[in-house]
Amino acid sequence: ITFDTTYRTNLYDMPFGLFVAVNNHFRSIIFGGVMMRDEKEESFRWVFREFIRMVGGKHPQTILTDQARSMEIAIKAEMQTQYIVGASGIPEKAKESMGVLWSKNSEFKMEFHKLVHHMTTEEEFEQGWQQMLDKYSLKKHPILTQIYEVRHKWAKPYFMGVFCAKMTSTQRSESANHMLKEYIPLDAQRICFVSQFEKIQFDRESEE
């Protein structure tokens, strides 16, 4: 499954989390949604406990999320689940700090994407990463250093044996967020928000 809290209700500025997965035809399905007051560890722990209860006590094999530390701690405390950071967020984090190196057709950008999405062994990844740092003189770059230190959470070679149902990012959650915007007015009050979310679930289940 993927879990993402980037969608916010405009009227209340409350994060809305979505649990999204795929069916046996690899089409996206929404397991549920949760409106949260904040994104603190205790709140996430409650969310994950309720999710496990909602699905009859069965823990998912894998969960893909963003890099929120409070979420990671809550997952480890409440779920018997492999935690993976969605790879789509890694290039975005690098992009914010790379300046001109991250231009439209830059060689660095292409090499970085190759490292994130196409390496198949740990040795290949490690060698490619060091070559990239040497080539562009980035050995002391703080963001790349930070990303590298948590590579086991997002780099494919480190979880090749983990079942992910062909999902390596939170893209399906992001697509579901886009669908929320189509159904729910920006100024929706909570009762309207809930009723429209139920309509989304009804429509998706009807298609299913």
Side-chain angles (χ1 to χ4, degrees), residues 20 96 100 108 117 159-160 174-176 206:
V20 179
E96 293 170 4
V100 293
F108 170 82
H117 298 291
F159 55 88
M160 289 294 283
E174 291 158 15
S175 298
S206 298

Side-chain angles (χ1 to χ4, degrees), residues 21-29 31 163 165-166 172 208:
V22 293
N23 63 11
N24 54 327
H25 302 291
F26 292 101
R27 293 192 62 190
S28 295
I29 53 174
F31 278 136
F163 177 71
K166 294 186 178 180
R172 288 181 184 269
E208 187 77 12

Side-chain angles (χ1 to χ4, degrees), residues 141-155:
H141 191 283
I143 299 301
L144 291 185
T145 300
Q146 183 184 6
I147 290 171
Y148 178 76
E149 286 174 352
V150 294
R151 63 195 179 282
H152 60 284
K153 297 177 185 177
W154 59 266

